[in-house]
Structures are given as C-alpha cells and as structure tokens.
Amino acid sequence: VLFRSVASCCCRFEQIMECLIEGAMIPIMTSALNCLARINGDFVIQCTESGISLQATGIAQQSFLQISFDKGTFSKYTYSESVSYGINSKAILSVFKDVKHILNITMKVEHVDIEYTLSFEILCNHQIRKVYRIRLFEANPSSVSSNASTAVNTISIRPALLQKGIQYLQTRDEILMKVLNNAVSVETIPQEGEVRTVSNLNTGDMDEFTIQAPTSLRFFTIGLLSVLQFAQVIAISLIQCQFGEGGSILRVQPKPGCEHAGVAFSFWLMTSTEDSTDNAESIHDSITQQNEVRSAMPIPSVPTPFTQQLTPSVQTPFTQQHPDPMKRPPPVNDEENDDEFWKRRKDDE
C-alpha cells in the first residue's frame, strides 16, 4: 500500500481498458493474433464501448484484415474511453506461445506516466501467474471502401476446401485464380522452365456460385491462407468471396448466417490482371516509401514474397562476362559480311 501511494505521487496511472479472456476465447484470440502477424509486423488495437477491433494492413497496402470481438465474448469488459494504438505482433505472440497451460488472461490498456502499455496477467496451471507489458505507439485505425457495384461475382465455399486447393500448389508466390461460368481453378504462375500446377475446385461443393463476369485474378497468397485457417478455428462453415474483374478487390468474410457469435472478420485483398506487368513496379515503389517513412517500433527485416518476386536472381552468360554495362560489346549482326566483321573486331580492340 505504501509503494502504491508513493508511485501515485511520482507518475500518472490510468486504466483505459480491461478484459478477461477465458475458455474457448483463448485459442480464438491466439489464432487471431497469429493471423494478423502474417499480414504485418505491426497491427492496430482499437478499444470502444462495443468491444475490441484488431486491424493489420499488408505490405504496400495490398491487403487489409479486421477482426472484431464483441464485448460479450469476454468474461469481463470495462473501458473508460475509445482509443486506438499500434503494437508489435512479434512481442504479443510471445505472450500466447504456450496456451495449453493458460487458465485465463486479463488484458489491460494502461496509461503510465507518458507511456501507453498493453499488459497481460496470465493465470496458468498450478496457480502460476505471469505478467507481460508491451509498449504501445500512436496509430490510427484504417478503413477500406470499395465499389460494391463492381463486385458482381460471388462464391460461397468451405474455408477448408479453398485452403487445401491453394496449399496443393505449394507456393508462397503469386497465384492465378481463373473463374468461368461453370468452373473455378487456382494455379501457379511458372517462370521460364517451370511447370504450371493447377488445382481445380468442384463448383458442386460450393454453396453459392454466381458469376456474371468471368475473369482471372492474380494475387499473393500471404495472409489469405491464415484468414482461411482462422475461419476454421471459429467454426465458420462457409466463407463468401466477392470480386469483380482482375485488378479489383477480393473480399473474404463469413457468409451471412454463418458468422461466429461475437466474432467477425473481413479481409480485403488487392488483385491484378493475369498479364499484369506494371503492378510489380508500383508495389516495389510503395514498399520503399513505406520503409522510408515508417516511424513505428523497430522490427526484424524479414524478406517477403513481394520483395522476393521483385528482385529475382537471374544471370545470363552475357551479364556474367560483362558485369559493367558500359563495357558490354555491341550486339552481333548475324547478316554482316567479312569486311564488316573484321572492321567490328578492329573497333573492339
């Protein structure tokens, strides 16, 4: 008591939000955090009167995920004001790395002096208690708007079926989803000398298949597979995929009537056309700008499929022999005569 009195005189303390996570909500929250971490190293936590919202924006703003938890999903939920802060996903995942021995988790957003922290008080088996505190940083929640009139195609499918179809391709790079009036498939985009892998999805296994504009969508699988896995954790029987032509936004969310009580998610993924060539350059520029202006907590530099795709390591005999472009010999004309040949050789010397 004496310690608390002294501390209160030295610094400001304010509890902004407190919630109690128990039972089935522990693995659900763990899966949600893992899903967000797959999309970005940082994400935003927003606390309001209705509950908690978690948001993550993908690299170069190519994807956006929002997962919301209604206050009724928690055994206890109190808050004093609506706030939103950023948090490092690697730090928060270390708290939930061993959930089998966790009985309950008390999560709090606290204002201590000039810092905002997210604290976790974890009660484990044998009455062992652990306390973690993670520093928060300023961040604003994002919002996504799209033209619903362009999303003329709708597919309702079991998340496990779509997940297995994509996993069959065994790639983390871009894939192509071809949608016809009576068929849908996902396939790899092979480089020169590689074999194309195709996974056909049976439309008879889909609850809804409404295609008004047959198209091909090109996108990265990063994030999407984690979203499909999270949908299975919260027992979503059917997800709804809405999209227009290639280059539009692919939106994935639970089909109306199949939602999990108190838990909602929506995933937006930017696509490109099948023969798109300019998209990679714009993505690279956006990544560079994002890294230059980033002011959040330092996070490890981990290569992503975006950067791997943009910087292929390909060498030809020509570039190996002449690394300096200024010293490369002029191209040889196959139709030159003997005089032209010897004149060119003399110029080269």
Side-chain angles (χ1 to χ4, degrees):
V1 176
L2 179 61
F3 173 79
R4 289 184 179 180
S5 300
V6 173
S8 63
C9 298
C10 297
C11 65
R12 174 188 176 185
F13 176 83
E14 179 185 3
Q15 183 173 292
I16 298 174
M17 185 278 298
E18 178 181 358
C19 67
L20 179 61
I21 306 172
E22 292 182 310
M25 275 300 298
I26 295 177
I28 290 177
M29 181 63 73
T30 302
S31 179
L33 296 174
N34 276 279
C35 187
L36 293 158
R38 295 277 185 175
I39 296 175
N40 199 323
D42 299 331
F43 62 87
V44 175
I45 177 171
Q46 184 179 20
C47 306
T48 63
E49 181 182 4
S50 58
I52 296 176
S53 174
L54 307 174
Q55 301 177 354
T57 303
I59 292 180
Q61 299 183 346
Q62 291 293 296
S63 61
F64 176 78
L65 172 63
Q66 176 170 304
I67 303 176
S68 301
F69 297 93
D70 185 81
K71 63 181 181 181
T73 60
F74 304 107
S75 302
K76 174 185 177 182
Y77 183 82
T78 59
Y79 95 111
S80 59
E81 60 178 306
S82 297
V83 295
S84 60
Y85 297 101
I87 187 170
N88 180 256
S89 60
K90 183 177 180 180
I92 200 170
L93 285 179
S94 63
V95 178
F96 290 83
K97 62 182 178 181
D98 191 13
V99 298
K100 293 184 296 183
H101 305 292
I102 296 177
L103 299 179
N104 63 56
I105 302 172
T106 301
M107 184 169 66
K108 302 177 182 179
V109 175
E110 299 172 335
H111 184 189
V112 182
D113 201 7
I114 61 173
E115 291 185 352
Y116 289 88
T117 62
L118 183 65
S119 68
F120 296 90
E121 298 177 7
I122 302 178
L123 177 62
C124 303
N125 293 335
H126 309 295
Q127 300 300 307
I128 298 175
R129 293 183 179 272
K130 300 179 182 179
V131 178
Y132 298 86
R133 283 184 173 85
I134 304 173
R135 183 179 300 174
L136 302 173
F137 54 87
E138 293 184 2
N140 295 320
S142 302
S143 61
V144 176
S145 61
S146 59
N147 189 354
S149 62
T150 61
V152 295
N153 301 322
T154 302
I155 296 176
S156 296
I157 185 174
R158 288 183 288 111
L161 179 60
L162 182 56
Q163 181 186 33
K164 290 179 180 178
I166 296 176
Q167 288 178 335
Y168 174 77
L169 304 180
Q170 297 183 348
T171 181
R172 291 175 58 85
D173 294 329
E174 274 187 305
I175 67 169
L176 190 67
M177 183 169 73
K178 292 185 177 181
V179 183
L180 304 177
N181 289 323
N182 57 356
V184 58
S185 66
V186 289
E187 55 188 65
T188 58
I189 304 175
Q191 303 295 325
E192 185 178 355
E194 296 181 348
V195 178
R196 182 184 301 272
T197 305
V198 180
S199 177
N200 293 308
L201 302 176
N202 187 0
T203 57
D205 294 333
M206 301 179 186
D207 181 75
E208 181 181 4
F209 189 76
T210 304
I211 305 300
Q212 298 184 20
T215 186
S216 295
L217 305 173
R218 181 173 177 170
F219 54 86
F220 284 94
T221 61
I222 186 170
L224 178 58
L225 289 174
S226 298
V227 170
L228 296 175
Q229 179 62 38
F230 175 69
Q232 296 174 67
V233 171
I234 60 176
I236 300 296
S237 58
L238 292 170
I239 59 167
Q240 186 179 72
C241 303
Q242 296 176 310
F243 53 93
E245 297 181 349
S248 63
I249 293 178
L250 170 64
R251 184 177 182 181
V252 180
Q253 60 185 352
K255 182 183 178 181
C258 300
E259 301 93 346
H260 186 285
V263 182
F265 73 87
S266 191
F267 181 61
W268 288 265
L269 180 63
M270 193 64 198
T271 70
S272 58
T273 57
E274 180 177 358
D275 55 352
S276 175
T277 57
D278 297 331
N279 192 42
E281 184 177 357
S282 64
I283 290 175
H284 177 72
D285 292 342
S286 299
I287 292 175
T288 304
Q289 295 170 7
Q290 189 182 42
N291 290 337
E292 288 176 352
V293 303
R294 189 174 187 83
S295 59
M297 300 171 63
I299 55 176
S301 176
V302 180
T304 66
F306 288 108
T307 54
Q308 293 172 0
Q309 182 72 13
L310 294 171
T311 55
S313 178
V314 180
Q315 287 187 331
T316 64
F318 185 79
T319 57
Q320 291 172 356
Q321 294 174 7
H322 303 276
D324 188 352
M326 302 301 295
K327 297 182 180 180
R328 292 177 181 173
V332 178
N333 183 1
D334 293 336
E335 298 181 356
E336 64 184 353
N337 56 35
D338 290 345
D339 293 337
E340 292 172 339
F341 171 78
W342 289 110
K343 182 177 183 301
R344 179 173 57 79
R345 290 293 301 272
K346 185 177 180 181
D347 293 340
D348 291 343
E349 295 174 354

